[in-house]
Amino acid sequence: MTATPEVDLPNPYTGTGTIHNPATGAVAGEVRWTDPADVPRIAAGLREAQKEWEARGPKGRAKVLARYAVWLGDHRDEIEKLLIAETGKSAVDAAQEVPLILMILSYYIKTVEKAMAPEKRPAPLPFLSIKKIEVHYRPRAVVGIIAPWNYPVANAMMDAIGALAAGCSVLLKPSERTPLTAEVLLRGWLDSGAPEVFALAQGARAVSEAVIDNSDYIQFTGSSATGAKVMERAARRLTPVSLELGGKDPMIVLEDADIELAANAAVWGAMFNAGQTCVSVERVYVLESVYDQFVAATVRAVENLKMGAGEGYDFGSLIDAGQVDITERHVNEALEKGAKALTGGKRPEDGGSFYPPTVLVDVDHSMSCMNEETFGPTLPIMKVSSVEEAVRLANDSPYGLSASVFSKDTERAKKIALQLDCGAVNINDVISNLMCTTAPMGGWKTSGIGARFGGVDGVRKFCKQETVVAPRTSVGAGGTYYNNSHKALARMNRLMTKLALARPRRTAK
């Protein structure tokens, strides 16, 4: 769920600002920007409140998270209307965010106690069996979350939930393009009777830098270029980071695939949220024997789509004119190099940050639409002669977030999946790994570092590990620590010799 780099707008983020609907230009609301100089004070308050929050223990925190889940469910309509007003989404796209967060909340409410429980570790050698070894998970005080604009609820809260469950406090810096939804999320937290361990910092680059400088862990979602800058700044204080960055996610369609299924999945995966999804389908490689059939099915599916904000539409506007410019550039460059647009391909003239769903064919890797993240409603399709070529081209990218493989032979598809250099692969589906709360979501290469949610690691990532070694008996070394007598030295040499010889047996000669 990655957004393009945040840009510094000409007006300083001071006082109050007006947020407009990118689809209509209507005023969505007003926001009060945070003075970067106030961020240390906000973080200090969170740090103090976190102590009591940690002391509640996993069960106590789970009760608060459960109340918050109820509040989100009760206020879903309000949140979705604001999402549409703030982002220009279609109603069907806006309707995806709160349910995803409720799914993640439900999972961690049930599993946080297990995630935070100390782990017993075995003794590595027999003579150390007199020790009890445990690994404890201690929450970091302040987790800073810098979230993008494409999913103002999901991209903020899917990380915040794990941090709060772990016992951390959370300082959220939403995108300056979509600050209003975050205000509602904070109001819901406090209305649920939760303690003040969740706060906002509203603004752009200066506020992001202040959040990085005053947090104990940073979760960033955004472009690869901005992620590198976040990591560089965090390194000044050796603050750990988790980065989910850009993607150029490929789909491979084999000759034995269900073509109608694959075509409809490709269209939904490419056009959902106007293509503004990090794990969207951004390029398709189709075996030549089914290429024409797949292209025809894809065009039919695209021609049925309705573009517009709110109810009755399949997908809405892009976030702003700048994002339209990127999409338009990728399409125009492809057309100039010989590609064909079978649908769309031209920017509308009637206002709003819209771009029509565009299917491109006769594309290759010399074109930006195949090697740069578009983050718009385009679907480039390339014919390939073999599975090996499809895999090679899919891996021919600096990105490695997710991918998909379509084949009626699931085992064959799985073998191909394990040849793809990315963090997740969906077989005969797209984007579904986002719903798999038991598994990590992370990127390879320039698509990120670390992973988001996913099993106990989605809580433990926000913790520090502390090993505690305790005696099983009351007998200690006592005065033998520095016993350098001849007999003691001989015993030590015999022991070290046994340890050195206790290596694994060779299984082959």
Side-chain angles (χ1 to χ4, degrees):
M1 294 186 176
T2 321
T4 50
E6 294 184 349
V7 295
D8 289 327
L9 303 181
N11 296 325
Y13 291 91
T14 58
T16 59
T18 302
I19 306 303
H20 294 88
N21 185 326
T24 65
V27 173
E30 301 288 327
V31 60
R32 178 168 293 281
W33 303 118
T34 303
D35 186 335
D38 287 339
V39 172
R41 174 186 56 79
I42 297 170
L46 290 170
R47 201 175 301 279
E48 185 62 31
Q50 184 270 337
K51 298 174 184 176
E52 187 273 334
W53 180 236
E54 179 183 359
R56 293 191 184 202
K59 285 185 178 180
R61 295 193 294 272
K63 290 179 181 179
V64 177
L65 292 171
R67 293 199 300 269
Y68 188 46
V70 171
W71 190 94
L72 290 172
D74 290 344
H75 292 77
R76 180 179 170 185
D77 289 345
E78 174 190 356
I79 295 170
E80 289 174 1
K81 287 178 181 177
L82 184 55
L83 280 172
I84 293 170
E86 194 169 35
T87 66
K89 290 177 184 277
S90 68
V92 69
D93 283 350
Q96 309 297 315
E97 297 202 43
V98 173
L100 175 61
I101 296 307
L102 292 177
M103 187 185 307
I104 296 172
L105 271 164
S106 176
Y107 176 74
Y108 281 126
I109 288 167
K110 296 173 184 175
T111 60
V112 63
E113 189 173 6
K114 175 184 176 183
M116 294 298 292
E119 281 190 346
K120 295 181 179 180
R121 299 292 176 89
L125 295 167
F127 82 95
L128 282 174
S129 61
I130 61 172
K131 301 292 186 181
K132 291 187 291 186
I133 307 169
E134 290 183 342
V135 177
H136 293 251
Y137 296 91
R138 303 280 303 280
R140 300 179 189 275
V142 179
V143 171
I145 296 175
I146 303 175
W149 44 260
N150 55 336
Y151 293 95
V153 174
N155 265 323
M157 298 311 298
M158 67 170 58
D159 300 305
I161 290 166
L164 291 166
C168 310
S169 58
V170 168
L171 179 53
L172 170 63
K173 206 297 286 184
S175 170
E176 67 273 21
R177 292 181 175 92
T178 55
L180 304 178
T181 307
E183 301 279 357
V184 177
L185 296 174
L186 175 60
R187 171 164 61 84
W189 177 257
L190 298 176
D191 287 352
S192 302
E196 295 185 3
V197 291
F198 179 23
L200 301 180
Q202 299 279 26
R205 179 174 177 173
V207 173
S208 293
E209 291 174 346
V211 169
I212 296 169
D213 293 345
N214 290 276
S215 298
D216 304 301
Y217 187 98
I218 293 295
Q219 171 68 52
F220 172 79
T221 307
S223 72
S224 300
T226 306
K229 294 177 182 178
V230 168
M231 189 173 183
E232 181 181 5
R233 189 170 188 98
R236 299 178 186 181
R237 297 174 55 244
L238 296 181
T239 302
V241 299
S242 178
L243 309 174
E244 195 215 315
L245 307 176
K248 192 67 182 176
D249 298 351
M251 171 191 281
I252 295 176
V253 182
L254 304 185
E255 77 284 351
D256 63 345
D258 181 329
I259 298 302
E260 287 295 326
L261 171 66
N264 281 281
V267 171
W268 184 78
M271 309 303 171
F272 175 67
N273 202 43
Q276 299 171 123
T277 305
C278 65
V279 291
S280 65
V281 176
E282 289 236 355
R283 50 197 173 112
V284 186
Y285 303 99
V286 186
L287 270 292
E288 57 186 348
S289 61
V290 292
Y291 174 82
D292 291 339
Q293 184 184 352
F294 177 84
V295 170
T298 299
V299 170
R300 286 196 301 271
V302 168
E303 288 175 341
N304 289 327
L305 296 179
K306 295 180 180 179
M307 180 177 66
E311 294 186 7
Y313 298 99
D314 296 296
F315 71 90
S317 75
L318 280 77
I319 193 63
D320 58 23
Q323 199 58 48
V324 179
D325 289 343
I326 294 172
T327 305
E328 183 178 46
R329 174 174 64 83
H330 285 188
V331 172
N332 288 345
E333 287 180 0
L335 297 178
E336 290 169 3
K337 291 185 175 183
K340 297 183 181 67
L342 301 185
T343 67
K346 187 176 181 182
R347 188 175 191 161
E349 298 179 356
D350 53 357
S353 297
F354 290 97
Y355 197 88
T358 300
V359 176
L360 294 169
V361 295
D362 297 339
V363 294
D364 59 48
H365 275 221
S366 71
M367 302 173 183
S368 56
C369 69
M370 293 295 283
N371 54 53
E372 295 180 18
E373 186 176 36
T374 304
F375 232 59
T378 64
L379 185 58
I381 307 172
M382 185 173 178
K383 183 191 300 184
V384 293
S385 59
S386 66
V387 172
E388 292 74 20
E389 182 185 11
V391 170
R392 177 179 60 79
L393 291 169
N395 288 336
D396 181 23
S397 171
Y399 299 109
L401 196 54
S402 73
S404 55
V405 180
F406 280 75
S407 169
K408 291 178 181 177
D409 186 340
T410 303
E411 288 304 312
R412 180 189 182 203
K414 190 182 296 185
K415 290 179 181 179
I416 294 169
L418 292 174
Q419 299 175 51
L420 299 177
D421 299 335
C422 59
V425 180
N426 295 290
I427 295 175
N428 292 334
D429 203 355
V430 295
I431 309 182
S432 58
N433 62 292
L434 281 178
M435 272 67 79
C436 300
T437 55
T438 57
M441 178 194 171
W444 294 12
K445 299 187 279 189
T446 62
S447 286
I449 293 174
R452 311 177 76 165
F453 59 85
V456 297
D457 292 335
V459 171
R460 290 177 179 173
K461 66 179 278 188
F462 299 110
C463 297
K464 297 169 286 188
Q465 295 184 35
E466 182 176 355
T467 299
V468 177
V469 181
R472 293 185 182 275
T473 70
S474 59
V475 179
T480 64
Y481 279 122
Y482 281 106
N483 188 340
N484 60 358
S485 69
H486 178 75
K487 289 183 178 180
L489 189 59
R491 285 197 301 270
M492 179 62 72
N493 285 334
R494 287 196 298 271
L495 176 60
M496 291 298 104
T497 300
K498 287 182 178 179
L499 292 178
L501 293 176
R503 61 186 184 274
R505 294 181 179 178
R506 294 182 180 179
T507 57
K509 294 184 180 180

